[in-house]
Every structure is written in structure tokens, then in C-alpha cells.
Amino acid sequence: VSADGQSVERVAAWHELVAAQRRVSTALARDLQVERGLALGWYEVMAELYAAGGRLRMQELAVRLVVNKSSLSRMVDRMAEDGYVEREPCVDDARGQFAVLTRDGRAVLRRASPIYRRGVRRHFADALTASDVTALHRALGKVPP
Amino acid sequence: VSADGQSVERVAAWHELVAAQRRVSTALARDLQVERGLALGWYEVMAELYAAGGRLRMQELAVRLVVNKSSLSRMVDRMAEDGYVEREPCVDDARGQFAVLTRDGRAVLRRASPIYRRGVRRHFADALTASDVTALHRALGKVPP
DNA sequence: AAAGATTGATAGCTCAATCTTG
DNA sequence: CAAGATTGAGCTATCAATCTTT
């Protein structure tokens, strides 16, 4: 398949990004599952809720995590069954629903966070220099929503 | 959840990477689906086979794409049903199977490639400087298998 | 009619088990 | 027994349709 040089470089960079994301995600998921019995997706939901002060509307949570709304709705269903989050209606807009991190969810998150951070370090950041990390953060932040 | 500064930077960079990957993959998948009726995963398989000269063993294909072996086996099943690839036994090792890009597969790939490259440019690279792209490629290539 | 959220139907993914060959 | 690959079963993700509220 023909392509000019610029295109080849861009696509190569994109492929490295995809490969890195898959490798690191797989390793993080394995660590959390083995050591805490927790799915990576569940960790991400709880960490995002925690960072937002414990509650977010479903819509906003989906946008921040860059996940499909249906998938999130179903994930929150399962997390609620296990007592990690609760749903709460929104007072000023009756269409809205909050996902709220429960006490149990916080406890699970607290125990899982070190595993997650260790994984990000081991599987991702340890291979990079500090300036690599800064450059990645800066560059990738430019990718549009 | 408590964490030191280094950890925060590493995790923030990792989150940007995940967000970028999800956004760009979603956009690429939409483009290919709408304009060519082709799934992104199928495109990736065909592009990898093409880059390898048209054929690869299942194992090697899974490693290069960083995908689950079962998922790949099933994906190749469906692609074979649609005539995009064929399976061929391996002569020197009867356990092995090749996935082989067919004539039809090549034709589909040829028509899909411009859409894919345009997507990588529009949804990913256009937001970055040339040196951002180089830095990403270089840094992400260090992430271990 | 549009926005927020969920659900029905279904395609696709993944773990563990299995089969075959080295 | 290990390696390559596939499959059975169960779970997850996604699209389109739906429901409710604005």
C-alpha cells in the first residue's frame, strides 16, 4: 500500500501508541485482577469518581473516561450489585443520575491504588526518562476530544 | 488516595495516553465503518499481513498486533468467511497455521488505506508538531513487550 | 424536539479446556 | 510434557430503540 514519508512516520507513531496501550493495559489488568480481584475498568471508574470528590453524573463520567455510555451504564450496574457505587437521582435535573462512590468502594480503591501506581511505573514509566514522560503528557494532551 | 509527585505525573501521562488511544481508535473505527464498511480490527489484521508480505502464522500475527490469541482466531474465522483471508497449513511445522491475505483482501485494504491514513492524520497527528510525532514514536518504542 | 440515561438484541472478547504435533 | 492453535461457555461491549424530562 503506497504512502508518502510523512504518512509512514505518523502511522508508525500511532502503531507504537496502540501497542504500548495494549501491553500496559493488559499488564495492569492482570496485576489488579490477580492481587485484588478487581477489573481495570472498575478501578478507572472508582478512581475518576474519587478524583471528582466521590460523585459524577453518568454523562460526565463517560466523557472523562472516554467510554461508551451504554457500557458505562452496564458497568455501573454490576459495580452497584457488588456495593462499590450507588446511583442517586439528580435534584436540579430529574433526567440525570449520579454515580456515587460508596464507603466500600473507597476502601477497595484505597487498597488497589498502590497496585495500579506500581503497575504504571513498572510496565510503563520505568522504561522512559522523566523528560519522555513529560513530553508524552504534553503531546498527547493536544489530541482533540 | 495518596501518592507522591512522580507517581502523579506518571499516572497523568498514562491517562492521557489511554484517552488519546480511545478517542483516535473510536474515530478511526467510525471512519472505516462508515466509508468502507470495514471494522478497525480487520483493517489492522490485513495491514499487518500485507506489511509481512501477505502471510503470517497466527501466533506471530497475535504478537505483532498485541491481541489475544483466541480473539484473533475468531476474527480470522469471520474474515475468512467474508473471503478477506485464508488459512494455510504450515509445511515445516504441522501445528502451525498461516493466515494469508487473499486477492479480495488486498483490494479491500487498498481502498481502505487512504481512509485510515487520513484518519491518523486528522484525528491524531494534525494536533501535533513533527517533533511531537518523533518524540512519541521514540519514547513509546521503549515500552517493553 | 433534544438531552440524559437505560435496555434489548446481538456481535465480539476472553478464560480455561482441548486437540494436535513437536 | 510444551507449543501452536482452536473451541465451549460465559461475560462484556455496542448499536439502535426506548423512556423520561427539559
Side-chain angles (χ1 to χ4, degrees), chain A residues 38-117:
Chain A
L38 185 67
L40 177 57
W42 289 31
Y43 177 86
E44 292 177 348
V45 165
M46 292 193 288
E48 201 68 49
L49 288 176
Y50 180 86
R55 55 170 52 218
L56 278 173
R57 285 179 61 161
M58 294 296 288
Q59 167 81 356
E60 182 60 25
L61 186 53
V63 169
R64 295 198 191 188
L65 293 172
V66 194
V67 296
N68 182 283
K69 279 197 312 171
S70 306
S71 305
L72 178 64
S73 191
R74 296 224 146 87
M75 206 186 312
V76 168
D77 278 349
R78 297 188 294 266
M79 293 177 72
E81 281 176 26
D82 282 19
Y84 292 7
V85 297
E86 283 174 352
R87 282 196 160 86
E88 274 187 25
C90 181
V91 285
D92 21 296
D93 184 347
R95 293 172 305 181
Q97 284 280 111
F98 280 103
V100 185
L101 191 59
T102 62
R103 189 177 187 78
D104 282 1
R106 272 176 209 272
V108 169
L109 178 65
R110 196 177 313 119
R111 281 173 41 81
S113 290
I115 308 297
Y116 181 84
R117 285 198 302 269

